[in-house]
């Protein structure tokens, strides 16, 4: 097998910040030599693990006969809840996620037991041989079920300002509506996987595909009944994460570790795709009901909105996710009198979890639906209604949760994009096309995005880094962030290279490990580069300050007179290569390693009332999408996309563009074709790519124009950049509203009733409802 | 009788004798060979992360100057090792030169930022490698077709399309070494049956050998492309018993056009069948472009799609509407029957023990017949249809004399809508006729609600397809179908 290193890429620019530098692993990706957990050389004696799963959504386990499982050829060990030396739980916030069910199962696919065998196929075949008898209990599957059963995983929350109900009754126009939106499977291409390698005296080393190595470490230690310092979790890269590996990796890591601990042999647990889709949480599906009062221009005067989500069988991150839904139910719009009520339902389905946007997209889709309905109700251009509702200036700058919007640029983004994308001219051309086209109808929509940056759980906004400079001048970089394809490692290396004034090729990027940087937060909330970039910057500065003090003293200059650039340090006539400086400093007994730390300033929010400043800043964007629909079949096609997105002063415009494009397409999938279908028994019927369809190459139009707004962040982030992972996901809301515009063109009047995802079936039914007058 | 699988890899002949016949090529590569560049994404042939390329010796065999190697992408996760026999295998590790120089497609992917997490990347590269060797200047439609079987969750595809456009067509080492590779492939050609793993699997070389084998092993599982049977192993963990692999039978893969009909051998791949049928029936060409993915079409056969009696086979309604017939063979005896008579019930067919589908016969177009087919699915490409419709009419002086309205996804088998058809006979095919036929559909079908669509949608949309077909006869024509791909604003609709 070819393990040779690929040829060195093109020259590395200096300074590296703001440069379009390729992903550090790109040459390995294309050579097939980038290693994921399942590609690591397998240690001798490796056992393969498979999980037995619940067949029922809600039931008492009456008996579990595992004799056939144990007897299957190749099986070495079978573990159930009684075999856990520590705590039988991997819940990240609340202890309600058992590793193995004890007496009760609460979703189809829940883990019952583990079987370890000498081959993966033997383990999987054996796992199917369990004989489990159940006493079925009433199952709460859908949001409607949960509403009827008053089944909550967390108490409801409410944010209220002004006099929403009074103002509703006095508003010139008043309307109510409802919107249901589906969940979404992450469909990372690399499924969940962990390999646990037992060490001496109770040590455990875990290679895991996770966005949150520290949490995996802590939960594995708790399951093993050992202190955290016995467990090391290592992640070099993930084959995609999208939030699906923020909490979901822990179960599989814990099981692999339990097997390794029990047998003394290394153990690997890799899920088959179908099992991954059945057993892991997804984006929360929501139902939204609203009552809105507005004036003749469509300006919202009062809004009463109810947000109901399906959280699944456990708490997981549903609290913070639903909080973020509330925080984004304003999007870019000032809502003077407002009441937002959030219900977090417990259902007997897999526990829903983080997914790019973390509840934000659902809140944003809700308010965009309200605005769109107002426009159709009044017969106005939806963009005009969006404009009159924008935040702007004193008196119209306070969010429902009391944070002042100080950096608002959505108005200028809308102006610029509607001009460059020729929104009005295209709208006119589309109307002409539609008038002459009986079957096909086109639609266009422009929607804005305002997304709050920071973990709303404020203490998570911290990061650490460890930088080591070796005597040859090469630099080893470690930080708490994980690499899932977003290019975080590359961005942070750019920052560090510039601090030392050396080429990016002198900074080696290594695996994220809990024994290098402890107690890290998940790589999530788009904050990876903001947090780890700053922590690494601080670590590099600490070492550079020591080098500066050393060489300034030797040269007899002020440290502030030194310049680190182009692989050397200079001051006046003095100059020394960076590598020589390092060697000299070493000989002079200067420490060449340092940790760095960063905590986001300014944020402060009350976690009960949600009032305060949850976000350091906002990231903005806007998109125009154009679609065509077939009014006889409901099929749709995306025709053109124009995006203007705010990355502050982009740390790396090619990586940021990649995030914007990928997020848009993922969002478009959520709103148009990705459909999670649970049957009445709680079984997921769309549990493989044969039935669950994410966007493919042909769904992307040739006209897919992305511009980055190159404007410094007003807040003092790393090189004035802005977070980019999640915000552009919500640009795809424009595609959904373009479909609604096309449905409206098929006839009828008033709001377009279209739930998401807008599959051919839903689109056709929306067309028929409007044509028959039921949609008005 | 040959007793081991032989294939060419990296300029060498590789011999496999002790690999179980249902071992997938993916597991063989990753676990037996330690070549972990090829990834498993779904283990069912839908995501393309496991894409590899197989080279086949084609042309006028035995005439060196008229021979070449045809490179095609396939999914390794549902491909049994027996299918490697007689082929050249290319995986992602084989692309760059021994000195580390990247292949032009690798370089293009790096230059255009075509990878983010990188997990799907090896599969995309192999699809691009096949494209590189088959199309000198692919347009966007061709690129989309080549990549429809590869899912990427990170990039949104734009940079990968840019890489495909930029990869060029400079001769690579595979082109340079073609003569040597052809000689190796020629050296492992065989004319006798392969008995693999002590008779657990057979791979006959001729139809006659197949006919004899099936008489001896009437309960054997026939595997052609394995794009369905592969999942019986990877997902259902079924024991297939004795396997007869027919993918390598050249005379069973023959396609001929004579006497007013096209005869497609049962082992012909969908790719090969589509090449002949698409120019004759453009709608059928559009349908085949959406049939599975390129990887699937390169393995799958029309014969297999029909013989396993799946209710959702995309091709059947169209072929039934065209009046296609099947040639069945048992031992030395053949019989022919209309395709629609072949399907008895859900996954039940008219095949007798020891009998196999030998060929599909499709009549060529004629001026007095109308034909159209439609596929509705959640995703345009590589999705199983919620509804599949194939429509055929024969007209005499503007009056309908025969109607064939066939649907998939509306019942347990692909079926004709007899009542709706009857409403069309003896009158012009006008809007009123279409409306009457659409209104009759509920008498023909009581479809199911499942994860693809509801019963209500299926009935409404199926009826609307008849209306649409009628509208498409009007002049001047107006656009009635969403485009396969949006080239530019306003250009599509």
């Amino acid at each position: 097998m070819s393990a040779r290193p690929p040829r060195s890429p093109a020259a590395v620019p200096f300074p590296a910040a703001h440069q379009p530098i390729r992903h550090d692993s790109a040459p390995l990706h294309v050579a097939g030599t980038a290693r994921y957990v399942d590609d690591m050389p397998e240690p001798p004696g490796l056992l393969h693990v498979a999980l037995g799963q619940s067949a029922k959504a809600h039931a008492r386990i009456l008996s579990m006969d595992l004799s056939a499982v144990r007897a299957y050829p190749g099986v070495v060990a079978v573990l159930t809840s009684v075999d856990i030396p520590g705590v039988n739980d991997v819940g990240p916030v609340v202890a309600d996620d058992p590793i193995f069910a004890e007496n009760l199962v609460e979703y189809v696919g829940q883990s019952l037991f583990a079987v370890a065998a000498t081959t993966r196929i033997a383990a999987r075949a054996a796992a199917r041989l369990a004989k489990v008898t159940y006493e079925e209990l009433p199952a709460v599957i859908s949001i409607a079920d949960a509403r009827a059963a008053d089944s909550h995983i967390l108490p409801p929350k409410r944010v209220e300002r002004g006099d929403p109900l009074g103002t509703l009754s006095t508003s010139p126009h008043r309307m109510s509506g409802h919107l249901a939106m589906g969940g979404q499977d992450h469909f990372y291409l690399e499924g969940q996987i962990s390999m646990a390698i037992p060490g001496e005296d109770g040590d455990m080393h875990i290679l895991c595909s996770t966005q949150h190595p520290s949490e995996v470490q802590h939960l594995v230690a708790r399951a093993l009944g050992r202190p955290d310092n016995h467990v090391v979790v290592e992640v070099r890269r993930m084959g995609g994460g999208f939030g699906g590996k923020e909490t979901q990796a822990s179960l599989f890591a814990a099981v692999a570790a339990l097997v390794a601990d029990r047998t003394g042999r290394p153990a690997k647990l890799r899920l088959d795709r179908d099992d991954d889709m059945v057993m892991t949480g997804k984006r929360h599906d929501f139902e939204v009901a609203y009552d809105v009062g507005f004036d003749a221009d469509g300006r919202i005067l009062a809004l009463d909105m109810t947000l109901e989500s399906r959280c699944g069988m456990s708490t997981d991150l549903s609290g913070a996710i639903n909080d973020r839904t509330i925080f984004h139910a304003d999007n870019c719009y000032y809502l003077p009198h407002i009441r937002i009520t959030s219900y977090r339902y417990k259902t007997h389905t897999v526990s829903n979890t983080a997914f790019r946007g973390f509840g934000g997209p659902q809140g944003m889709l809700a308010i965009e639906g309200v605005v769109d309905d107002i426009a159709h109700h009044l017969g106005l251009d939806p963009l005009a209604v969006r404009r009159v509702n924008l935040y702007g200036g004193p008196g119209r700058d306070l969010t429902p949760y009391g944070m002042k919007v100080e950096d608002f640029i959505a108005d200028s983004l809308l102006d610029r994009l509607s001009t460059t994308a020729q929104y009005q001219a295209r709208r006119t051309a589309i109307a002409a096309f539609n008038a002459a086209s009986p079957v096909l109808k086109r639609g266009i929509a422009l929607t804005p995005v305002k997304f709050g940056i920071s973990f709303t759980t404020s203490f998570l906004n911290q990061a650490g880094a460890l930088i080591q400079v070796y005597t040859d001048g090469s630099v080893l970089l470690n930080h708490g962030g994980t690499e899932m394809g977003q290019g975080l490692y590359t961005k942070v290396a750019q920052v560090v290279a510039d601090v030392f004034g050396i080429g990016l090729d002198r900074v080696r990027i290594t695996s994220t490990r809990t024994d290098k940087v402890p107690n890290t937060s998940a790589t999530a909330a788009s904050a990876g580069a903001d947090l780890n970039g700053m922590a690494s910057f601080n670590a590099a500065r600490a070492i550079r300050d020591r080098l500066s003090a050393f060489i300034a003293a030797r040269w007899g200059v002020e440290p502030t007179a030194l310049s680190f650039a182009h692989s050397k340090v200079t001051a006046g006539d003095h100059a020394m290569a960076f590598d020589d400086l390092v060697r000299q400093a070493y000989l002079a007994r200067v420490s060449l390693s340092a940790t760095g730390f960063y905590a986001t300033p300014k944020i402060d929010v009350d976690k009960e009332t949600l009032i305060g400043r949850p976000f350091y800043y906002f990231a903005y964007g806007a998109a125009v999408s154009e679609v065509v629909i077939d009014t006889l079949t409901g099929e749709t096609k995306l025709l053109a996309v124009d995006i203007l997105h705010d990355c502050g002063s982009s740390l790396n415009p090619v990586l940021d563009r990649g995030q914007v494009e990928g997020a848009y397409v993922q969002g478009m999938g959520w709103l148009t074709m990705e459909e999670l279908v649970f049957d009445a028994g709680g079984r997921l019927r769309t549990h493989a790519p044969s039935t669950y369809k994410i966007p493919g190459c042909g769904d992307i139009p040739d006209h897919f124009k992305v511009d980055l707004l190159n404007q410094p962040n007003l807040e003092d982030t790393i090189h004035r950049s802005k977070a980019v992972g999640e915000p552009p996901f919500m640009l795809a809301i424009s595609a959904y509203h373009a479909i609604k515009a096309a449905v409206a063109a098929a006839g009828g009047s008033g709001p377009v009733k279209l739930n998401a995802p807008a599959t051919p079936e839903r689109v056709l039914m929306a067309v028929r409802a409007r044509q028959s007058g039921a949609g008005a | 009788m040959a007793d081991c699988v032989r294939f060419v890899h990296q300029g060498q002949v590789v011999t496999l004798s002790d690999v179980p016949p249902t071992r997938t090529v993916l597991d063989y590569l990753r676990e037996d060979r330690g070549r972990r560049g090829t990834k498993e994404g779904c283990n069912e042939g839908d995501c393309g992360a496991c894409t590899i390329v197989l080279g086949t010796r084609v042309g006028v065999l035995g005439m060196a100057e008229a021979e070449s190697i045809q490179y095609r992408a396939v999914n390794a996760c549902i491909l049994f090792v027996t299918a490697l026999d007689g082929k050249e295998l290319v995986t992602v590790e084989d692309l760059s030169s021994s000195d580390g120089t990247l292949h032009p497609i690798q370089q293009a992917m790096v230059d255009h930022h075509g990878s983010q997490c990188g997990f799907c990347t090896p599969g995309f590269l192999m699809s691009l490698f096949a494209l590189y060797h088959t199309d000198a200047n692919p347009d966007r439609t061709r690129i989309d077709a080549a990549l429809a079987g590869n899912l990427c969750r990170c990039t949104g595809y734009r940079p990968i399309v840019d890489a495909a456009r930029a990869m060029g067509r400079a001769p690579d080492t595979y082109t340079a070494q073609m003569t040597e590779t052809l000689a190796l492939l020629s050296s492992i050609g065989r004319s006798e049956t392969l008995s693999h793993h002590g008779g657990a699997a057979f791979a006959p070389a001729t139809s006659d050998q197949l006919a004899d084998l099936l008489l001896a092993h009437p309960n054997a599982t026939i595997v052609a492309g394995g794009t369905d049977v592969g999942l019986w192993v990877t997902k259902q963990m079924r024991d297939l018993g004795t396997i007869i692999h027919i993918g390598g039978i050249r005379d069973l893969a023959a396609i001929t056009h004579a006497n007013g009909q096209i005869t497609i051998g049962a082992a012909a791949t969908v790719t090969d069948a589509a090449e002949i049928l698409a120019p004759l029936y453009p709608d059928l060409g559009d349908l085949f472009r959406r049939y599975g993915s390129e990887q699937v079409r390169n393995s799958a056969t029309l014969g297999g799609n029909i013989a396993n009696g799946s209710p959702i086979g995309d091709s059947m309604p169209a072929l039934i509407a065209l009046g296609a017939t099947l040639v069945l063979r048992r031992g030395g005896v053949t019989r022919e029957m209309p395709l629609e008579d072949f399907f008895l019930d859900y996954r039940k067919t008219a095949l007798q023990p020891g009998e196999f589908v030998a060929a599909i016969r499709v009549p060529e177009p004629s001026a007095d017949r109308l034909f159209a087919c439609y596929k509705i699915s959640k995703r345009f490409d590589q999705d199983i249809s919620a509804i599949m419709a194939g429509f055929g009419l024969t007209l005499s002086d503007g009056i309908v004399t025969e109607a064939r309205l066939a649907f998939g996804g509306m019942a347990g088998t692909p079926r004709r809508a007899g009542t709706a058809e009857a409403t069309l006979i003896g009158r012009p095919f006008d809007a009123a006729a279409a409306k009457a036929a659409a209104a009759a559909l509920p008498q023909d079908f009581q479809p199911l609600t499942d994860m693809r669509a509801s019963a209500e949608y299926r009935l409404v949309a199926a009826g609307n397809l008849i209306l649409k077909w009628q509208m498409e006869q009007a002049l001047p024509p107006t656009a009635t179908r969403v485009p396969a791909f949006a080239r530019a604003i306003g250009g599509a609709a």
Side-chain angles (χ1 to χ4, degrees), chain A residues 247-498:
Chain A
T247 62
Q248 301 296 294
S250 300
L251 170 64
F252 312 109
V255 170
L258 288 165
V259 169
D261 189 56
R262 158 64 75 92
T263 61
R265 293 167 69 168
K268 180 155 75 178
L269 173 48
R270 172 166 72 78
L271 292 191
D272 186 58
R273 174 64 59 182
D274 296 67
D275 294 337
D276 189 302
M277 292 185 73
V278 167
M279 298 186 80
T280 65
K282 304 165 197 320
R283 183 185 297 286
H284 292 61
D285 46 334
F286 269 75
E287 289 191 26
V288 179
Y290 72 83
D291 188 353
V292 65
F294 48 99
D295 66 16
D297 296 328
R299 190 176 287 103
I300 295 172
L301 305 175
L303 175 64
D304 182 16
M305 181 183 276
T306 304
L307 304 163
E308 300 171 289
S309 77
R310 169 155 63 175
C311 299
M313 54 73 72
S314 73
T315 312
D316 192 73
L317 302 174
S318 287
I321 289 165
N322 282 277
D323 289 352
R324 187 170 277 271
T325 309
I326 295 173
F327 290 132
H328 288 81
D330 59 339
N331 194 16
C332 292
Y333 310 119
Y334 176 63
L335 305 171
H337 298 276
I338 173 79
R339 182 167 84 168
I340 305 169
T341 312
S342 158
Y343 295 99
R344 297 105 196 259
Y345 290 134
K346 170 166 179 164
T347 52
H348 297 111
T349 52
V350 66
S351 189
N352 282 329
T353 191
F355 193 148
R356 200 177 205 166
F358 203 74
Q362 294 94 321
M364 217 177 276
L365 191 70
I367 187 66
E368 289 298 339
V370 173
V371 173
D372 194 67
D373 287 354
I374 292 171
H376 284 294
H377 180 86
L378 295 173
L380 298 173
D381 177 357
L383 180 58
V385 176
R386 291 193 162 95
R387 280 185 202 275
V388 300
N389 281 294
L390 292 177
Y391 281 108
R396 288 184 61 86
D397 60 356
L398 213 56
T399 64
Y401 48 93
M403 177 171 168
K404 203 176 203 181
V405 183
E406 295 169 327
D407 57 4
F408 196 69
I409 52 170
D411 43 359
S412 62
L413 277 179
L414 287 189
D415 288 344
R416 266 181 67 174
L417 182 63
S418 61
T419 304
T420 56
Q422 298 180 291
Y423 172 82
Q424 288 303 344
R426 285 164 65 187
R427 214 173 118 81
T428 307
I430 286 168
F433 169 89
N434 288 342
S437 174
V439 176
L440 301 185
K441 301 289 181 187
R442 279 156 60 185
I444 190 170
L446 194 168
T447 58
V449 168
K450 164 181 131 289
F451 193 78
I453 302 300
S454 293
F455 288 96
T456 59
T457 305
S458 297
F459 73 81
L460 295 174
N461 294 288
Q462 58 173 310
L466 170 66
I467 293 179
Q468 297 164 180
V469 182
Y470 294 93
T471 54
D472 65 351
S474 65
V475 175
L476 192 70
L477 165 62
N478 227 281
H479 54 75
T482 56
E483 176 63 45
M484 61 196 98
Q486 81 277 45
L488 174 66
Y489 279 17
T490 308
K491 281 185 171 181
V492 178
Q494 289 173 256
V495 169
V496 169
D498 286 354

Side-chain angles (χ1 to χ4, degrees), chain A residues 39 274 630 633 694 761, chain B residues 39 117 235 379 454 457 468:
Chain A
D39 304 335
D274 296 67
D630 180 333
T633 62
I694 70 169
E761 172 157 357
Chain B
K39 308 302 183 198
C117 86
K235 295 293 177 182
R379 185 172 68 202
S454 70
Y457 174 76
K468 179 194 288 258

Side-chain angles (χ1 to χ4, degrees), chain A residues 53 107-109 124 128 185 187-189 191-192 252 270-280 282 350 676 683-692, chain B residues 40-46 78 231 234-236 451:
Chain A
Q53 300 176 27
Y107 74 99
V108 174
R124 289 184 183 175
R128 299 178 180 210
D185 188 87
F187 210 87
Y188 29 64
L189 263 288
Q192 302 278 352
F252 312 109
R270 172 166 72 78
L271 292 191
D272 186 58
R273 174 64 59 182
D274 296 67
D275 294 337
D276 189 302
M277 292 185 73
V278 167
M279 298 186 80
T280 65
K282 304 165 197 320
V350 66
L676 293 166
R683 281 174 296 269
L684 178 63
R685 306 312 306 221
T686 50
H687 52 74
S690 52
T691 46
Y692 184 81
Chain B
E40 179 186 312
C42 68
N43 213 16
E44 63 167 26
D46 273 302
I78 49 171
L231 276 72
T234 64
K235 295 293 177 182
Q236 300 170 14
M451 76 292 247

Side-chain angles (χ1 to χ4, degrees), chain B residues 71-74 130 225 227 269-272 293-300:
Chain B
Y71 286 109
R72 284 183 175 174
V74 295
T227 53
T269 63
V270 175
T271 301
D272 288 334
S293 62
E294 189 133 320
Q295 291 94 317
V296 168
R297 295 191 294 274
N298 287 339
S299 289

